[in-house]
Amino acid sequence: MPNRVVVVGGGLSGCAAAVSAARAGARVTLLERMELLGGCGLLAGRVDQRYFPVREELRLMGGDDIFRLLDSCTLHEKVEFPWPKPGATKTIYDVTRLDPVLKKLMDEIGVEVRLQSRAKDVRMVGQRLQAVTLDDKSLVNGDVFLDCTGAVGPTGNCKRYGSGCVMCIMRCPSFGDRVSIVAKAGVKELKGKKPDGSIGPRGASFSLLKESMSPELRQEMEREGLVAVPLPQEMVDYKRTDNITASMNIDRGFAEHIVLVDTGAYAKSIATGYRTLSELRKLPGLERAIFATPYAATLGLYVSFMALSPRGAALNVPGIENLFVASEKLGISGIGEVIATGVVAGHNAARRAAGVAPLILPRTTMLGDFIGYVKERWNTEEGLKSRFHLLPGPYFTRAVESGLYTEDKSSIHLRMEQGGLLNILGPL
């Protein structure tokens, strides 16, 4: 019988890891503390088309399942965002479609999904994980484990470094706090910082009930995919975005507008930082605005990047023989980033379970270079103040200048072929 890989955390990174491990031949159990799969992907709602080189690398390796699944949820194609200039083109997906299609995919490839199964502790034998303990005190044994629990919460961090629980999509009071498996295994983690050096970067967006918008504003958003509502001069605050998780990606235009994207059920703000309900209701078309998530966003937004994990080149956790890590725990931010690292970590977990040497992507690939770039910087003082993105920011500039960022399929195919990486993510 194949060895068992246990993935803790059913967000997009955990789902990508579970699929990747299963494709490699492992027997996979996916543990999720809530009743839904998708994590922050249930709120994000957009995929930047500039992920193309990494998507193409994953496709050629055989690991683009989750990206293709997001494509199946498309609501608006090729939406031009107004900033930065020239604006980025993004696909906007319907967040309400995500959980059902993720569950269907898991069922099709034979991943055992256990919902409302919060892993709260670990059982160790020396430097090796033997099992995770669930809330009901039952054990889930495995040969290799992946920590894809992310970096939002627990509520204690939001109380200490934020405004208390603002009832975000993580719903910690209902389903229990996020628990870091890396930390439970005895590995010291670090906390992300704001640009001023204080602990606790904040979430970057909120969602409104579409029904609370004026009919005219809602119709424009649903027709175009997004709408930008200008802020009066007295409400423009360029410093407001400095302490949020997406700060490296933000153009001044976002500080001068409320940008709302149609994600199906909600109107989701982009790169705004929180605004109180009383502020929003001063804007034309938002006089009746109601928060959909976080429900108490008037107080502020959730605190994130509070459990950053050490990692090796294979996304293994140093010092623990059979533990891997992906997701925002790497200090990364963005849908493409968490999916791609989940794919690599899941495949390497399957390799470790099978006794095969890990796959370390070469720096001649954009994904391999990004993983190495983050690994070299995440635990520096500057790195702890940064959110690492594939897209606009220091790494994107590096990738463009080096030629790693290209939309030429033949060039990407050549570098993957030369690296011996074609279809490498299939059965071992």
Side-chain angles (χ1 to χ4, degrees):
M1 180 177 290
N3 291 316
R4 189 182 202 184
V5 170
V6 177
V7 181
V8 183
L12 288 177
S13 191
C15 287
V19 171
S20 188
R23 295 283 193 216
R27 192 163 46 105
V28 181
T29 296
L30 176 61
L31 304 176
E32 168 54 44
R33 65 185 178 85
M34 297 194 296
E35 80 279 52
L36 302 172
L37 295 180
C40 291
L42 297 169
L43 183 63
R46 69 199 190 281
V47 180
D48 199 303
Q49 293 196 1
R50 288 171 296 182
Y51 282 132
F52 176 79
V54 168
R55 285 193 62 165
E56 186 66 5
E57 289 177 353
L58 289 173
R59 185 187 72 81
L60 292 169
M61 290 190 289
D64 65 337
D65 298 80
I66 303 299
F67 273 117
R68 286 188 286 110
L69 183 144
L70 287 172
D71 288 343
S72 74
C73 299
T74 295
L75 187 62
H76 300 280
E77 289 188 282
K78 298 182 179 179
V79 177
E80 293 288 340
F81 277 58
W83 305 285
K85 300 289 187 182
T89 303
K90 302 178 190 283
T91 297
I92 301 174
Y93 65 86
D94 186 342
V95 296
T96 66
R97 301 182 197 171
L98 185 57
D99 168 69
V101 294
L102 282 170
K103 288 174 177 171
K104 183 175 183 241
L105 176 61
M106 298 302 153
D107 184 60
E108 288 173 350
I109 64 174
V111 172
E112 178 194 18
V113 177
R114 298 178 60 173
L115 301 172
Q116 291 183 246
S117 297
R118 186 178 74 123
K120 69 174 185 178
D121 210 340
V122 301
R123 178 171 290 186
M124 304 281 296
V125 177
Q127 296 302 302
R128 185 177 181 86
L129 263 74
Q130 184 183 64
V132 292
T133 307
L134 304 185
D135 272 334
D136 63 6
K137 300 183 180 179
S138 64
L139 296 176
V140 179
N141 294 287
D143 298 290
V144 182
F145 295 81
L146 281 107
D147 188 342
C148 297
T149 55
V152 177
T155 51
N157 284 336
C158 291
K159 290 177 181 177
R160 183 174 181 181
Y161 302 107
S163 305
C165 178
V166 294
M167 296 183 285
C168 76
I169 198 168
M170 294 294 102
R171 294 174 291 168
C172 304
S174 299
F175 294 101
D177 284 338
R178 173 192 55 78
V179 174
S180 170
I181 302 304
V182 171
K184 287 293 183 180
V187 176
K188 182 180 179 181
E189 295 182 312
L190 299 181
K191 292 179 171 61
K193 298 180 179 181
K194 303 184 186 77
D196 64 7
S198 60
I199 298 295
R202 304 289 184 91
S205 65
F206 53 81
S207 291
L208 301 177
L209 291 175
K210 288 165 66 171
E211 292 79 4
S212 69
M213 301 168 66
S214 71
E216 297 78 14
L217 195 63
R218 177 178 177 178
Q219 287 167 11
E220 180 181 353
M221 181 186 70
E222 292 179 335
R223 182 179 65 252
E224 303 296 333
L226 63 77
V227 64
V229 182
L231 292 173
Q233 189 58 44
E234 64 271 17
M235 289 178 64
V236 173
D237 181 1
Y238 297 109
K239 294 182 179 180
R240 185 183 286 263
T241 59
D242 287 348
N243 294 326
I244 65 177
T245 57
S247 57
M248 291 178 67
N249 262 342
I250 293 176
D251 184 273
R252 287 171 67 90
F254 287 104
E256 298 166 355
H257 297 77
I258 298 291
V259 180
L260 298 172
V261 172
D262 176 21
T263 61
Y266 310 125
K268 181 183 183 290
S269 74
I270 302 295
T272 301
Y274 86 95
R275 290 280 178 177
T276 66
L277 207 56
S278 59
E279 287 178 309
L280 290 174
R281 288 182 170 181
K282 294 177 182 177
L283 304 178
L286 296 178
E287 293 88 352
R288 299 187 298 111
I290 292 290
F291 288 120
T293 180
Y295 286 113
T298 282
L299 299 178
L301 297 182
Y302 53 83
V303 174
S304 189
F305 291 92
M306 299 296 286
L308 304 180
S309 171
R311 80 300 305 262
L315 299 184
N316 57 300
V317 176
I320 307 297
E321 296 176 11
N322 61 337
L323 180 59
F324 290 78
V325 64
S327 76
E328 290 182 341
K329 293 179 71 64
L330 300 174
I332 60 178
S333 178
I335 276 195
E337 291 82 348
V338 300
I339 291 172
T341 56
V343 171
V344 175
H347 183 76
N348 278 333
R351 282 177 170 253
R352 178 65 56 86
V356 177
L359 171 65
I360 299 176
L361 293 176
R363 300 292 287 261
T364 53
T365 65
M366 187 171 173
L367 178 53
D369 188 59
F370 177 69
I371 290 172
Y373 176 90
V374 177
K375 179 179 178 293
E376 293 165 355
R377 293 164 173 78
W378 76 276
N379 58 351
T380 65
E381 182 65 20
E382 188 60 32
L384 292 173
K385 296 177 183 178
S386 303
R387 306 312 142 232
F388 294 100
H389 304 268
L390 281 164
L391 301 181
Y395 180 75
F396 185 74
T397 300
R398 166 196 174 98
V400 170
E401 292 175 349
S402 69
L404 285 172
Y405 182 90
T406 176
E407 296 181 5
D408 179 41
K409 285 188 176 184
S410 61
S411 297
I412 298 172
H413 188 280
L414 179 62
R415 71 193 185 201
M416 303 305 283
E417 183 178 41
Q418 290 176 337
L421 298 171
L422 298 179
N423 299 313
I424 201 167
L425 298 179
L428 298 175

